[in-house]
Amino acid sequence: MNNLAALIDEKSKDWIDLEASLASLNYRTRLVRSVEELEKLVDRSEFRVVIVDLDLIGVDNRFFRSLKKINPQLNILTVARDPYHPELKEAL
């Protein structure tokens, strides 16, 4: 099984469906409830891909830069209902 995805979100139906889809492709997912918890996982290099819901998590450019500094090989995917996040212009 691949350790590729860390999910940050509430336990919504969308995320439950995404977790099921990833599991069917043999990916292990982990629900992360705080930025601090995610940083610890990234620091231990447990995950190579992070999926962040921008609508539910208050993050800024520093957040993304710090994750990439901890693990330069990390891939970050973002999802959002609102397609416009000007506060993240530098990071995205």
Side-chain angles (χ1 to χ4, degrees), residues 44-56:
R44 293 193 314 251
S45 298
E46 275 190 49
F47 293 94
R48 296 191 335 227
V49 176
V50 175
I51 302 170
V52 180
D53 187 330
L54 298 177
D55 295 328
L56 296 178

Side-chain angles (χ1 to χ4, degrees), residues 7 14-27 29:
L7 307 178
D14 290 340
W15 284 110
I16 292 168
D17 292 345
L18 179 58
E19 284 178 299
S21 295
L22 290 169
S24 73
L25 297 170
N26 212 28
Y27 290 101
T29 63

Side-chain angles (χ1 to χ4, degrees), residues 29-91:
T29 63
R30 175 148 177 196
L31 179 67
V32 179
R33 298 200 179 271
S34 72
V35 171
E36 294 79 16
E37 183 182 356
L38 175 63
E39 288 172 338
K40 288 177 187 173
L41 290 174
V42 170
D43 189 37
R44 293 193 314 251
S45 298
E46 275 190 49
F47 293 94
R48 296 191 335 227
V49 176
V50 175
I51 302 170
V52 180
D53 187 330
L54 298 177
D55 295 328
L56 296 178
I57 306 298
V59 296
D60 57 15
N61 290 312
R62 283 179 284 147
F63 167 74
F64 291 109
R65 282 195 301 269
S66 72
L67 289 181
K68 292 298 278 187
K69 186 176 182 180
I70 293 168
N71 181 351
Q73 302 302 314
L74 184 69
N75 294 293
I76 302 170
L77 304 174
T78 61
V79 295
R81 294 196 192 286
D82 182 0
Y84 186 64
H85 287 272
E87 72 279 9
L88 301 175
K89 185 176 180 180
E90 286 179 32

